[in-house]
Amino acid sequence: MTSPKRQGTELSIIVPTYNERENLPLVIQRVKSSLQGIRHEIIIVDDNSPDGTGKLADEFAKKFDNIQALHRAKKKGLASAVVHGLKYAKSPAICVIDADLQHPPEKIPELYAEIKKGADIAIASRYSRKGGVKRWGRKRKIISQGAEFLSRLSVPKTQELTDPLSGFFAFRQEVVAGANLDPVGFKILLEILVKGTWEKIAEVPYIFGKRIHGKSHLGFGEHFNYLRHLFRLMRASGEVSRLMKFCLVGASGVVVNLGLLWILTEFVGLFYLVSAAVSVEVSILSNFALNELWTFRDRARSAKGALKRVAKFNLICVGGLMINLVILGAMTELFGVYYMISALFGIAAAVLWNYVMSTMWAWKYAGAG
Ligand code: GDD
Ligand code: MN
């Protein structure tokens, strides 16, 4: 249903709305005046807002040729609203922006300029130098930083980005061509980063403004959606199978450790504590070799780096052992938990620690390419 006049636009702006009646006129006005000289269209995706935002969007669509209003019957989440809007976008470049003016429309030309200069995706970042957030409480800050950490952990591609959870960004249409976008919740950029095809990313700092009208839709349920989304993305990008490999390697290490302890003590005649020291180190090394050749094969770049990695992995394992012992001791001594149960918790925490440190430090992701 594209009117002929709209063809030939260079930039499509997608604006998801839910109860943004008071903000919509302002955001449209500011987008329009920021984009003078850039042929653009604005696509509003409303989820049947009870406050009548959808009706208002229709009025704008009637009045302006380059505005479309799309409607979904019920509230299905910010990220999928953007995916819906994408189906109607006709320009080679797309920009996604919230309707509540927390994302300043005046930054769109900068984002678009980065695309024209060759970036596949241009992200408006709160956390790059000169970026920031206005009037956030401690709690929201901590949650936001925690969410960014989880994204780096489970979606390694985002490790070098300062704000992979931004809701304000631009990209070339080709980035998502053929990608099966199927997000739950809010984080559409994360979905595009994992499933899209891209090489070059640019970041543009911005200050995340204060909401003047209405309130945020990022309720408690969104945290749960976010975890669900992360897990899906981990599966799609092979990180779940990496974690399983890591656990299998760990289990093989236990076999090596116990087997060698037995052989060295029974057949070589070493004192059992000496055998234990040797077998612990040998199992660390065999775990290292298997992780290097299997679990993290895609990230073990140079043979020269292997020496560094083996040193790091040893340190990680020592840390894991300490965590294991501290939890075992604390749960048993301070809380009276049966020591075999405490041991299970200790081991689980140590495995988690080992994995986090291995994927973020020893075999840190070092760029797509
Ligand atoms: N169509 C539709 N459906 N729109 C929605 C829905 C929905 O279910 N939920 C929210 N929106 C719209 C809002 O109307 C607003 O325009 C925009 O999506 C952002 O929603 P907010 O509730 O204001 O989110 P926020 O301010 O807490 O967080 C935003 O900014 C962060 C920083 O860039 C989001 O974009 C986050 O994903 C982002 O991390
Ligand atoms: Mn907002």
Side-chain angles (χ1 to χ4, degrees), residues 59-275:
E59 283 165 28
F60 276 109
K62 230 184 257 154
K63 198 155 131 211
F64 297 101
D65 239 18
N66 65 339
I67 297 185
Q68 307 184 57
L70 304 177
H71 303 276
R72 300 194 301 175
K74 57 178 209 252
K75 190 169 187 292
K76 288 199 276 188
L78 162 56
S80 70
V82 172
V83 173
H84 186 67
L86 267 175
K87 292 185 202 139
Y88 295 80
K90 291 289 182 297
S91 326
I94 315 283
C95 177
V96 177
I97 186 169
D98 287 352
D100 59 2
L101 298 166
Q102 291 191 281
H103 298 157
E106 293 69 28
K107 282 274 164 185
I108 300 175
E110 271 177 66
L111 291 172
Y112 183 48
E114 292 295 341
I115 300 291
K116 279 197 291 193
K117 271 196 293 185
D120 297 304
I121 305 178
I123 304 173
S125 166
R126 291 164 289 179
Y127 301 122
S128 78
R129 267 191 59 230
K130 293 193 188 150
V133 290
K134 247 189 196 155
R135 299 213 206 156
W136 261 11
R138 261 265 281 295
K139 191 172 146 220
R140 171 122 196 208
K141 264 190 202 147
I142 292 175
I143 289 178
S144 173
Q145 296 283 358
E148 301 265 350
F149 172 79
L150 280 183
S151 121
R152 288 193 191 99
L153 174 65
S154 39
V155 186
K157 265 185 172 177
T158 65
Q159 277 177 10
E160 307 155 302
L161 306 176
T162 60
D163 197 357
L165 305 181
S166 175
F168 186 21
F169 56 97
F171 58 100
R172 285 173 206 288
Q173 177 92 255
E174 298 110 70
V175 168
V176 296
N180 174 27
L181 300 179
D182 182 25
V184 269
F186 264 47
K187 307 305 178 190
I188 177 63
L189 174 59
L190 206 52
E191 179 84 3
I192 292 175
L193 287 169
V194 171
K195 297 189 180 165
T197 316
W198 51 268
E199 268 163 28
K200 195 165 172 256
I201 294 205
E203 294 189 333
V204 173
Y206 85 104
I207 308 281
F208 185 73
K210 193 173 114 55
R211 207 185 229 282
I212 297 164
H213 301 290
K215 59 178 177 31
S216 167
H217 308 279
L218 211 154
F220 185 74
E222 277 316 319
H223 301 317
F224 184 69
N225 274 338
Y226 177 57
L227 295 181
R228 237 173 20 121
H229 192 195
L230 278 184
F231 183 73
R232 276 203 201 183
L233 293 177
M234 278 182 84
R235 228 177 19 201
S237 59
E239 293 305 312
V240 169
S241 60
R242 192 195 300 280
L243 180 57
M244 309 238 269
K245 286 176 186 171
F246 190 81
C247 290
L248 278 176
V249 169
S252 82
V254 174
V255 175
V256 170
N257 192 340
L258 291 178
L260 202 60
L261 175 64
W262 186 62
I263 291 171
L264 290 180
T265 312
E266 298 296 322
F267 302 98
V268 184
L270 294 182
F271 180 54
Y272 79 98
L273 286 180
V274 177
S275 320

